[in-house]
Amino acid sequence: PEAVVDRRRAGLMIGIELAEDCPELAGLALEAGLLLNVTAGCTLRLLPPLVMSEAQAAEFGGALADVVSNWWEARAALPGAA
């Protein structure tokens, strides 16, 4: 299964729904220098600044993909994980 189930946005607010609850992802992202929060247990909420450049957005996106991918792989390696 894939980690990302859905993506939504309203204006600049972006929601990324994951397949599993992920309360620890906010802390993992912060360790990687990213600021986001987790809502509804499994939704990442991103609120990028209006002054973000395309290069900064690409850098953020790549770093976020790494954090989510590492979390998903670690979660899948746990005993009893589906």
Side-chain angles (χ1 to χ4, degrees), residues 13-73:
M13 185 168 50
I14 302 165
I16 301 171
E17 184 179 344
L18 302 179
E20 302 279 336
D21 282 351
C22 56
E24 66 278 10
L25 259 178
L28 294 172
L30 191 56
E31 289 175 9
L34 308 176
L35 187 58
L36 55 87
N37 65 347
V38 177
T39 63
C42 62
T43 302
L44 304 179
R45 182 188 307 164
L46 311 175
L47 298 165
L50 292 171
V51 295
M52 180 182 253
S53 70
E54 285 187 39
Q56 290 169 323
E59 181 180 351
F60 181 90
L64 178 60
D66 289 344
V67 168
V68 172
S69 179
N70 291 338
W71 164 80
W72 185 250
E73 290 172 9

Side-chain angles (χ1 to χ4, degrees), residues 1-5 7 17-20 72 75:
E2 294 290 322
V4 176
V5 175
R7 296 165 201 87
E17 184 179 344
L18 302 179
E20 302 279 336
W72 185 250
R75 183 213 56 80

